[in-house]
Amino acid sequence: MRRVRLMGTAEIGARLGVTRSRAHAITRDRDFPAPYQTLTMGSVWDAEEVEVWIREHRPELAEDPES
């Protein structure tokens, strides 16, 4: 069983280098992964799914698999 690493809007914004407000808008896009879970405080996403989305939609920000 893999351990799930979660990201909220703030972490997604930091990862993409955008404001939290812009990150919130990006997460509402139809092509962004569905939230892993929605809590009272907001939604959280599986970081692995977010990284796949980044590789497909923002390849210049993709993490180097060698690092």
Side-chain angles (χ1 to χ4, degrees):
M1 177 183 218
R2 84 174 171 94
R3 184 174 176 174
V4 178
R5 186 171 58 103
L6 300 175
M7 298 176 86
T9 306
E11 292 81 11
I12 292 169
R15 179 68 182 84
L16 295 173
V18 299
T19 65
R20 192 172 179 172
S21 176
R22 177 68 184 128
H24 185 68
I26 290 169
T27 62
R28 288 191 318 254
D29 284 347
R30 158 173 57 125
D31 62 350
F32 200 80
Y36 179 80
Q37 187 73 39
T38 299
L39 310 170
T40 301
M41 54 68 66
S43 296
V44 290
W45 288 262
D46 181 329
E48 189 173 303
E49 291 181 6
V50 173
E51 291 299 332
V52 168
W53 183 90
I54 290 171
R55 284 193 298 275
E56 292 174 0
H57 295 88
R58 306 283 197 285
E60 70 280 4
L61 298 176
E63 292 181 337
D64 183 358
E66 298 296 318
S67 60

